[in-house]
Amino acid sequence: MTAPVHDHAFDEATVQAVIRRALDRLPLTDTVDNLVAALCWHTERLLPVVEAKDWSAHGQGELVTVIVGEVRKKLAARPASGAIAAARAVYAQEVARACRGLLGLALVEPGDEERLREAAR
């Protein structure tokens, strides 16, 4: 048995692998809930890192605020584990896209991955 995702420190390669698992094809019914949990966990770790950056210095403060707000709404709309499997699979793909976008915003500066590792501890 593998350790729960929340027991692991942040690792970009792991996040990318989870995103690929969701986007390469529709997740399987028996794995979709674990995939959703992993994607949400990573996304929740990325949000405060993205929010902490000084986006207004680059004229992007309002844009990033809107993006973060939409991602938070998406996380709050998580379907129940008893919901139709196809709906949960599509949700996993939507969260994977949001996570991929946040990852790009979180890793724009040198040293950002190390800061993410520290923040996720």
Side-chain angles (χ1 to χ4, degrees):
M1 180 175 191
T2 60
V5 70
H6 61 274
D7 287 347
H8 298 287
F10 177 84
D11 175 61
E12 181 185 2
T14 301
V15 178
Q16 293 284 8
V18 172
I19 291 168
R20 274 192 307 279
R21 255 182 63 208
L23 295 178
D24 283 350
R25 64 178 137 171
L26 210 55
L28 300 173
T29 302
D30 59 341
T31 63
V32 71
D33 291 327
N34 287 337
L35 185 58
V36 166
L39 287 162
C40 289
W41 186 86
H42 289 301
T43 302
E44 289 166 356
R45 297 305 161 291
L46 290 168
L47 279 167
V49 173
V50 170
E51 289 176 306
K53 292 180 179 284
D54 184 11
W55 297 104
S56 60
H58 304 288
Q60 297 176 328
E62 189 174 324
L63 175 63
V64 172
T65 299
V66 170
I67 291 169
V68 165
E70 291 301 312
V71 171
R72 287 194 186 283
K73 285 181 194 174
K74 177 57 63 187
L75 291 174
R78 184 175 179 171
S81 61
I84 297 170
R88 295 184 339 255
V90 168
Y91 178 79
Q93 290 185 326
E94 291 171 353
V95 175
R97 287 184 199 92
C99 188
R100 181 177 56 194
L102 288 177
L103 185 61
L105 292 172
L107 299 176
V108 296
E109 299 169 352
D112 278 348
E113 187 172 356
E114 185 58 37
R115 283 188 282 280
L116 265 172
R117 280 191 197 113
E118 293 298 319
R121 289 183 189 176

